[in-house]
Amino acid sequence: MKKLIYLAIIFVAAGMAQSCSATKQATLAHEYQQQRPTRTMRTEEPCIALAQEESENLRAYGTATSYVEKTALNEAQRDARNNLAQMIKVAVEGAALDYEKNSQQDLKSTAETLGEEVMKQFVSEEISNTKTIKTSIYDLADGSIQVYVCIEMRTPKEEFNKGVSSTLDSQELIGIQHDRDRFIEKMSEELEQYKQKNQK
């Protein structure tokens, strides 16, 4: 009989402990919900916003974090140049594929080699000659520094397109003016699509 009483007491105590634990968890969750704001507006990072604005020159942004500010700044600039290069590379390759598919003449080079030549002969120099137009610096809780930069090509889009066309002609990659014009048009479309697709 005593054993039964002891067992009953243990079950009741366990049930009460479980009930207290559940009540405590529910209380904590309720307190957290009360402290947490129901709606928080996120502010847009200025460098990202600037990179995505309409402009006469091609732009891109980059970011990096380091415990040394100069290192973070250099890495962010490198990241931005890489992003700009990737954007142009995708656009040039898209235009080269379009040219390969629609050209009526015997091709002197494949779409891949055509894209590589344009990047090597003209675009790489333009990318290395960019300028930083905006910098944002944040001190993080762990003591590190996060940097965002927005870079811009010094050459306006119109002049850049002329430069690509001139490279296609001088390197004898695309000899016919009509085909060069189509290449530039397609490249511009690809740039716009890439920008829209990768907007944050």
Side-chain angles (χ1 to χ4, degrees), residues 71-121:
T71 302
L73 185 58
N74 290 339
E75 289 298 318
Q77 288 170 338
R78 183 179 301 141
D79 185 44
R81 283 192 297 271
N82 287 342
N83 289 338
L84 184 61
Q86 180 61 24
M87 179 171 67
I88 296 170
K89 184 173 185 283
V90 167
V92 167
E93 286 175 352
L97 282 169
D98 178 76
Y99 171 69
E100 185 179 68
K101 189 169 71 174
N102 295 296
S103 178
Q104 302 299 317
Q105 59 177 329
D106 292 333
L107 297 176
K108 295 179 181 178
S109 55
T110 64
E112 187 179 355
T113 55
L114 177 59
E116 284 173 3
E117 281 300 310
V118 171
M119 291 298 290
K120 184 174 73 177
Q121 298 293 337

Side-chain angles (χ1 to χ4, degrees), residues 3 17 26 34 50 53 71 73 86 118 124 137 145 168 190:
K3 283 184 180 179
Q34 283 183 326
L50 195 59
E53 276 181 11
T71 302
L73 185 58
Q86 180 61 24
V118 171
S124 57
I137 301 174
I145 299 157
L168 293 170
E190 294 279 343

